[in-house]
Amino acid sequence: TTNPNQSKSNNQTSQTTNTSDNSGKIKIGFSFDTLNLERWQHDRDYFVQRAKELGADVLVQSANSDSQTQYSQCQNLIAQGIKVLVIIPHDGSAIAPIVEEAHKAGVKVLAYDRLIMNADVDAYVSFDNEKVGELQAEAITKLVPKGNYFLLEGSPTDNNAKLFEQGQKKVLQPLVDKGDIKIVGEQWAQDWLTQNAYNIMQNALTANNNKIDAVVDANDSTALGAIRALQEQNLAGKVAISGQDADLANCQLIVEGKQSMTVYKPVKEEATKGADVAVALAKGEDINANGKVNNGKIDVPSVLLTPVAVDKNNMVDTIIKDGFHSLDEVYKNVPKDQWPKQ
Amino acid sequence: MDMGDFILEMKNITKDFSGVKALDNVNLKVKKGEIHGLCGENGAGKSTLMKILSGVYPYGTFSGEIIFDGKELKLNNIKDAEDAGIGIIYQELSLVKELSVSENIFIGNEPNKNGIIDFDRMYYETKILLDKLNLNINPNVPVKNLGIGQQQLVEIAKALSKNVSLLILDEPTSSLTDADVEILFNILRQLKDNGVTCIYISHKLNEVMEITDRITVQRDGKTIGSEDTKNLTESEIIKMMVGRELTNLFPKEEHQIGKEILEVKNFSVYDSKSSSKKIVDNVSFTLKEGEILGIAGLIGAGRTELVSSIFGSYPGRHEGEIYLEGKKINIRNPDEALDYGIAMVPEDRKGQGLINILSVRDNMTLSNIESYKNNFGSVDVNKEIVDVKKYIEMLKIKVSHFDLAVKNLSGGNQQKVVLAKNLLRNPKILILDEPTRGIDVGAKYEIYKLIYELVKSGISIIMVSSELPEIIGLSDRIVVMHEGKKKGEFVNKDVTQEMIMQCAIGGK
Amino acid sequence: MVNSKGFKENNVSINKKFSFNLKLYTMIIALVGIWIIFAIATKGDFLTSRNMSNLFRQMVSTAVLAIGMVFVIIAGQIDLSVGSLLGLTGGIAAIANVWFHINGILSIIIALAIGLILGTWNGWWVAYKNVPSFIVTLAGMLVFRGILIGITNGYTIAPLSSDFQFIGQAYLTPVSGYLLGIIVLLVGAYTIYSQRKSKIKYGLEVSPFYLDIAKIILMIVLIGLFVFTLNSYNGIPFSVLILAILVAIFTYIASKTVFGRRVYALGGNIEAAKLSGINVKKITLILFAINGLLAAVSGVVLTSTLNAGSTSAGQNAEMDAIASCVIGGASLMGGVGSVIGAIIGALVMASINNGMSLLNSAPFWQYVVKGLILLLAVYVDVASKNKE
Amino acid sequence: MVNSKGFKENNVSINKKFSFNLKLYTMIIALVGIWIIFAIATKGDFLTSRNMSNLFRQMVSTAVLAIGMVFVIIAGQIDLSVGSLLGLTGGIAAIANVWFHINGILSIIIALAIGLILGTWNGWWVAYKNVPSFIVTLAGMLVFRGILIGITNGYTIAPLSSDFQFIGQAYLTPVSGYLLGIIVLLVGAYTIYSQRKSKIKYGLEVSPFYLDIAKIILMIVLIGLFVFTLNSYNGIPFSVLILAILVAIFTYIASKTVFGRRVYALGGNIEAAKLSGINVKKITLILFAINGLLAAVSGVVLTSTLNAGSTSAGQNAEMDAIASCVIGGASLMGGVGSVIGAIIGALVMASINNGMSLLNSAPFWQYVVKGLILLLAVYVDVASKNKE
Ligand SMILES: Nc1ncnc2c1ncn2[C@@H]1O[C@H](COP(=O)(O)OP(=O)(O)OP(=O)(O)O)[C@@H](O)[C@H]1O
Ligand SMILES: Nc1ncnc2c1ncn2[C@@H]1O[C@H](COP(=O)(O)OP(=O)(O)OP(=O)(O)O)[C@@H](O)[C@H]1O
Ligand SMILES: O[C@@H]1[C@@H](O)[C@H](O)OC[C@H]1O
Ligand SMILES: [Mg+2]
Ligand SMILES: [Mg+2]
């Protein structure tokens, strides 16, 4: 699957650029769950760059995956006279009270990538996290319609890990019920650590005598560890395995045939869109929503983007084309003669 | 006198601790090859002076000059002093409890090749040292398994292991019995024959008289004077120390002895480390109201284990019965003992008696803190302070302020704090294990007087002591122990030291 | 002679008082230093009443944990389970409130009771089974977090009923804020007066009158400033009030009660404490029980502030609490520490976090500068103490 | 009299040996208990040679940290920075290797050097500036992680060159495994023999001949079993070999060298150590330096095993290392602990993790059961020691 929206949205963004000739500098606060993950760094860079083009300043904070810290940091951002608060919540429920605090101070709130629950959020720009799980499971079930499945989930204390799991199960459960696939194990990697995933995969292979045909893995940093464990049993490339985030190392593994797929959230698009919406909120302009998502309290005006399943075949058309990673980087470990022609 | 005679000269030494002058222009001259006694009341500054000489307080933290072997000494640390040939046994035991006897003796000077310890040589040399001290223990045993007396001997062995030309002994015999003291003295005499100089600090003046050649007396941080021992008598030393005469060291006072209050029957105690070993073997005794019961014996006779088991603080198992005022009681821990009105001054003040980092006040009132509780459940600090001040006065504790940490007190003054703590608790029965360790003669006299006041008011006392004069001078009755067994019991009339010694070494 | 002695003693006692205060003062100085730096760097943002209000609210949950932790540390023990316990009790309160529709107050009481019980569980193993507290509470950290994951099934539980939200989100009205300040002042003044009276009763030397007056004036200034600052934003936050009350109670327990004295004693030398008739086991048990209760208080406050209970709440909070205690002068070897110190420690940490976040520095700088400030602040403290 | 005394002493010496061994034995017994439970629960999977090989490899990075940590703990200090340092050094090695195309060996040397330097930095603050090690290394934990984030910019750095991958992924051939076993045996036998000779030289009593023989037989059985088990899978993993060598070296340092014994002395009674003329500052500095070096070794091994360096590597690893030490009998109060104990502790933790994951239990159970097993294992240890 490729992304049909992509070219269109690119056009849209360039339009907005033209309309944003503005003198007074707008201040936007951006609160990240964490910057320890490769993708968020991209989000930050694209967002800041786009906001600059639109004449806005961005104050960036990272909460080290902790709701309380994030709450404090948002307070601090509001205290600095921002117009709009953009939040990638660590936990969409636990950050809700900040919305009211922001509104009291006249600050609009944009939920970025993950929704803020039960609060009067002004806008939402995202990919659907359950959808991510679905894409992972769909890709793997397509490759391995029958067989033994192992689920390598994320951090047991991360709310999003739960959402990914739900999405995966939505696709897998019918097949389990039909008897096509058998889930031989499900384990959660504390803190999304590569090392923990590696140990888990080693043990899963041992416990199942290597009789595992497919691994539905929740993200790339854990997939990296799992693939190491597969490699030790000479199973890398033979066992289908999913991922998420399109980390460089994992893209390399995909083109080498060792990882089956990753879920690429066209970050550039999301970040650019996010910046557009933020600036529009600041100016009180229309945000061009393409949908509404209910958060338990209201229907939040949303700009929803589609996550893309990327495998060996559409790598060039998606990730490389977007400039998310360069061809040289991704194909570094593949003999030159096998490189795709561009 | 010819300057060349002196191996050591300490000139105009002054040292203060945040405003308190511990040493005020002190001068000390020691001749080569002599055993030089250093006397003075508790807190006179003896230990402080010796710590300066051994590099604990480095050059620059005091004023004055040290000339050693003709050269000025500027010590930056303890190692420097050792390199210069000065060795010291500290007043406070400074052993590492978890390490073995031999490791403790050679700590800092381990026999080694390229940093790798030669354990067999270490064991071998330890054995030789211990034999010299007539101490029959396994060099590989951790020090924590030893009694205080034995630890003190290990400390002595440690000092002897270093080849020093000046050996400082700060209260080396405070927990030793006469027999061990005699062994130590023989060693000191041997060292003297080999040209080693010694500085000997002790509150046991008879020892000082016996072993030293010259004596220097300090008082209130100042030097009072030095004199050849042969020209001095004990009472002259006391006069120099205390500033007044003190003719009778034991103020024997008449007191009423009442009915029996405590009976210990067939009491046995097993070693806490190897549960099959009996340390106290079937001991029985009684204690009457207003009575002072002395318990004598050699080191390792099991006296400490006996009394601390009664008090409930010894970790090893025990058998036998205890009757308090006719009722059988079972004491499982000190908490219960104190509730029965039994208090104990432990032998090991640093390990068991005091909380070093806390103040004199906190330490003193720790056992009876409940009695200061007011209506709000809080401690009435002012009421507490009144008591604390009273005891500081009464026991002549030398301390600049009651909120000073006890670790800053001199050894003898710390001992007084432990005593005060137990007195404040108002016990019916007071157990004293080596109660006057390191306490000066003047203060001892005061404490003895206090003990008499206690017994006159009906309190009963059990006193374990290694000082026979003290046992004989104070007790109404004396129990003698040997290798865990009760070997004899004397009513204190015409008892002599010889009789007790005879009994303590196992003879009849 | 008596005169000269009396004089000497006076000197020392003043010296001592001074040095006692200095111990805390140096950390306060380091704190003020940090504040000044941030005030300059943020061009004043840091010192606005609004940010001060934020800062105090941000420190509450760590500070509450630190209060309990400092007792445990003084006693020579450690409690690694409080972070998980905070999460678990907060989660339980949220579940009771959201899933079972139990009202806020009752939900909170349930959470506190469970905190107390689980704290007692920790204490029982440490005191009566002699298992090192590090292990017991490490086990607790795993078990409590596990239970939390189990009962929430990984879901975040929100939103809470409004009576629950109150604790973490409400503010006192300005008037009641000033009223409270005045009450505190009166109590303070009365304490100083009655101490004076009691000193005279026992014939002890009283401090000069002007010193007591100075004390009262200082109190007026500090409390006034505090209330005024918070009132010029939204008022005194309810959660900060809870913290203040806990600080008062536990400072009192530590310094004025028999229990407090005994905790210091057993941390200073457990052997000597036992021989002094202290029931070491009982005290240890109580300490951990209290710590569990305070973890629950912290959990309730945090849950209410965030209006949600989540599986990851309180992760690593134990380290922040321990660090607060150590920054505030407590020693992990036991016997040393104070509630006020722990609170100042928590404030130092919260200030660094707040300031760095106001500065919007990149994560790289946040980590590095945070670490360095922490090191320097404690170094200043240590160095000045050593010199003295 | 002399006879009877001599007899007494003998008694004590045998007693002592026995009790010394018992101390470790009870934890080994707890470990064996855990293994048996998992062997049954996993229907034998746990004890397959393949899983044993995995288990040993999984414990390496924690165990290497624990070796350094146990020295620090024995000395009465703590080091919270090793997790971050592990991550940082591993990241630096990966960057050197992947981004700058420096060969594996040199990259590793650079990482080790940096570990040593940063460890020394920690030690300098603790030893010469008297800042509590908790604070210094907490700061280090932040600073080192910050630097790692800064230099990697959040990227995972992979894949490594093959000479780097070697360390974490290669195995000894079966033949060299056996050869190695034989060499170790010979060294062991020679040591026993030369100990005997030295004892005779000093006229000390030697242990009965049959005991020495028994020792050698035990060694043959254990080493044989170890090598055989690992050989029946892929051979001895290279990383496990590194661990074994480090264990041998540091056990030797702890028990046989002047340095090692002084560490125990200063942890047991720092006052006494100072009064004995030991240079406490220098030893403290060296301890932290070594700990930094070992953190780097651990970082290199982990990076090589995972074939990637990442910003989050080593998170919370310090707690695992400390826990290993404490499980293995070390006391956070200092003076007590052993390298072998720490390794057994690491093995206990790795076994619980491995077993629970083989059982494929839900996160809830993983946490709860892990915590309870940990508590029980140490309780068994404590209880049996107390009884004796
Ligand atoms: N570290 C310290 N801080 C404050 N005061 C101290 C310190 N060390 C010693 N002093 C004080 O210095 C004085 C001298 O003490 P020192 O230990 O030298 O006495 P001493 O003659 O050895 O007494 P004793 O016979 O009791 O051992 C005492 O008043 C003591 O309180
Ligand atoms: N020569 C020895 N050989 C072996 N063990 C000994 C020897 N002497 C003493 N012990 C043991 O050392 C332990 C401690 O003795 P300790 O010195 O406490 O006894 P004590 O009677 O209280 O003597 P004191 O109070 O005079 O020091 C006892 O278990 C004793 O059996
Ligand atoms: O993108 C993922 C993010 O949503 C989740 O929270 O953490 C892991 C990431 O892979
Ligand atoms: Mg002295
Ligand atoms: Mg004794």
Side-chain angles (χ1 to χ4, degrees), chain A residues 65-218:
Chain A
S65 310
D66 181 63
S67 289
Q68 199 192 356
T69 307
Q70 185 161 42
Y71 181 67
S72 303
Q73 289 185 341
C74 288
Q75 285 183 329
N76 300 336
L77 282 170
I78 295 169
Q80 290 177 80
I82 53 170
K83 275 265 155 57
V84 181
L85 178 60
V86 185
I87 305 176
I88 301 175
H90 172 65
D91 180 326
S93 296
I95 199 67
I98 200 67
V99 177
E100 204 182 320
E101 265 188 68
H103 285 174
K104 267 192 202 150
V107 175
K108 296 262 169 60
V109 180
L110 163 60
Y112 184 91
D113 198 72
R114 303 175 191 157
L115 189 54
I116 297 173
M117 309 303 291
N118 300 305
D120 301 309
V121 187
D122 298 288
Y124 178 44
V125 174
S126 183
F127 302 98
D128 184 347
N129 276 330
E130 259 194 62
K131 178 87 189 165
V132 171
E134 286 171 33
L135 284 179
Q136 289 168 335
E138 274 162 9
I140 298 300
T141 47
K142 204 171 282 168
L143 288 171
V144 186
K146 286 183 186 189
N148 288 338
Y149 271 58
F150 184 76
L151 307 191
L152 215 170
E153 304 294 355
S155 196
T157 54
D158 184 342
N159 192 238
N160 301 296
K162 193 76 202 166
L163 299 177
F164 300 144
E165 187 214 4
Q166 272 177 19
Q168 294 163 1
K169 291 264 171 83
K170 217 188 234 173
V171 177
L172 296 177
Q173 199 55 50
L175 297 172
V176 172
D177 296 341
K178 240 169 66 185
D180 282 357
I181 65 174
K182 186 175 164 219
I183 296 177
V184 295
E186 176 176 0
Q187 294 278 291
W188 299 67
Q190 172 90 43
D191 297 330
W192 302 93
L193 286 187
T194 309
Q195 184 185 4
N196 293 339
Y198 169 70
N199 289 348
I200 288 171
M201 198 67 227
Q202 261 188 351
N203 298 336
L205 289 169
T206 305
N208 293 291
N209 273 323
N210 288 0
K211 287 193 197 94
I212 289 176
D213 305 303
V215 180
V216 178
D217 190 319

Side-chain angles (χ1 to χ4, degrees), chain B residues 122-159:
Chain B
M122 205 158 93
Y123 183 96
Y124 175 77
E125 293 191 358
T126 304
K127 203 79 191 120
I128 292 175
L129 283 167
L130 295 182
D131 282 348
K132 253 196 201 169
L133 291 168
N134 209 0
L135 183 58
N136 195 317
I137 50 173
N138 184 342
N140 285 338
V141 144
V143 161
K144 67 175 176 196
N145 290 4
L146 304 181
I148 290 291
Q150 293 171 335
Q151 290 186 22
Q152 201 158 39
L153 287 169
V154 171
E155 195 92 60
I156 291 171
K158 180 175 164 183

Side-chain angles (χ1 to χ4, degrees), chain A residues 33-34 37 39-40 88-90 113-114 129 132 136 154-155 158-161 164 192 218-222 243-245 247 263 265:
Chain A
D33 166 23
T34 169
L37 223 55
R39 74 154 282 197
W40 298 128
I88 301 175
H90 172 65
D113 198 72
R114 303 175 191 157
N129 276 330
V132 171
Q136 289 168 335
S155 196
D158 184 342
N159 192 238
N160 301 296
F164 300 144
W192 302 93
N219 92 337
D220 277 353
S221 67
T222 51
Q244 164 183 207
D245 293 340
D247 286 354
V263 175
K265 307 173 188 162

Side-chain angles (χ1 to χ4, degrees), chain D residues 53-118:
Chain D
S53 175
N54 285 348
L55 177 62
F56 285 124
R57 288 178 62 207
Q58 286 167 7
M59 77 176 278
V60 171
S61 76
T62 303
V64 171
L65 289 184
I67 292 175
M69 189 65 82
V70 79
F71 278 85
V72 171
I73 288 178
I74 291 170
Q77 308 284 3
I78 196 87
D79 191 341
L80 302 173
S81 73
V82 289
S84 291
L85 198 47
L86 181 168
L88 177 57
T89 50
I92 288 174
I95 288 178
N97 187 243
V98 178
W99 290 355
F100 294 100
H101 308 290
I102 295 173
N103 74 51
I105 307 302
L106 198 57
S107 308
I108 290 170
I109 290 173
I110 293 172
L112 297 184
I114 287 174
L116 191 66
I117 292 168
L118 294 179

Side-chain angles (χ1 to χ4, degrees), chain A residues 38 194 224-225 228 247-253 256 329-330 332-333, chain D residues 90-91 93-95 97-99 101 152 155-161 165 303 306-310:
Chain A
E38 205 177 299
T194 309
L224 201 64
R228 275 288 315 133
D247 286 354
L248 177 56
N250 299 76
C251 290
Q252 290 171 343
L253 289 172
E256 287 167 47
E329 282 172 341
V330 173
K332 195 177 123 199
N333 306 315
Chain D
I95 288 178
N97 187 243
V98 178
W99 290 355
H101 308 290
T152 59
Y155 282 96
T156 298
I157 296 139
L160 306 166
S161 67
Q165 290 186 40
T303 305
L306 299 180
N307 192 15
S310 82

Side-chain angles (χ1 to χ4, degrees), chain D residues 85 89 108-124 144 285-297:
Chain D
L85 198 47
T89 50
I108 290 170
I109 290 173
I110 293 172
L112 297 184
I114 287 174
L116 191 66
I117 292 168
L118 294 179
T120 309
W121 154 270
N122 279 338
W124 182 78
F144 303 155
L285 182 83
I286 294 175
L287 280 179
F288 279 91
I290 290 177
N291 209 29
L293 181 64
L294 286 173
V297 172

